Amino acid sequence: MTTPMRAGDLVAVTVTKVLPFGVLVETPAGVHGLVRSAKAELGTVANVRVREFDGQRFSAILA
């Protein structure tokens, strides 16, 4: 199941993993994404702006 998402959409996410180059996040609908160069703690809830979405995963920037 995929969630309709387009570049430019504002989405609420939860940080699921912290990496040296950014954080992995998940939407409430279960869609996983990557926010590069973001610094956040595990479990943090944030709003991000979608940059790309391939139907299953997305990349975003902090909003």
Side-chain angles (χ1 to χ4, degrees), residues 5-6 8 10-11 15 21 31 37 42-44 46 48 51-52 58:
M5 196 181 300
R6 295 184 313 229
L10 188 63
V11 181
V15 175
F21 53 85
V31 180
S37 301
L42 190 62
T44 300
V48 298
R51 294 183 68 194
E52 294 179 48
F58 66 95

Side-chain angles (χ1 to χ4, degrees), residues 9-61:
D9 285 354
L10 188 63
V11 181
V13 298
T14 302
V15 175
T16 58
K17 188 169 188 176
V18 178
L19 302 167
F21 53 85
V23 294
L24 296 179
V25 297
E26 184 176 357
T27 69
V31 180
H32 298 274
L34 171 66
V35 181
R36 289 192 180 273
S37 301
K39 296 185 193 254
E41 293 182 17
L42 190 62
T44 300
V45 176
N47 289 317
V48 298
R49 181 128 353 242
V50 176
R51 294 183 68 194
E52 294 179 48
F53 179 59
D54 70 4
Q56 295 180 354
R57 292 176 298 250
F58 66 95
S59 66
I61 57 173

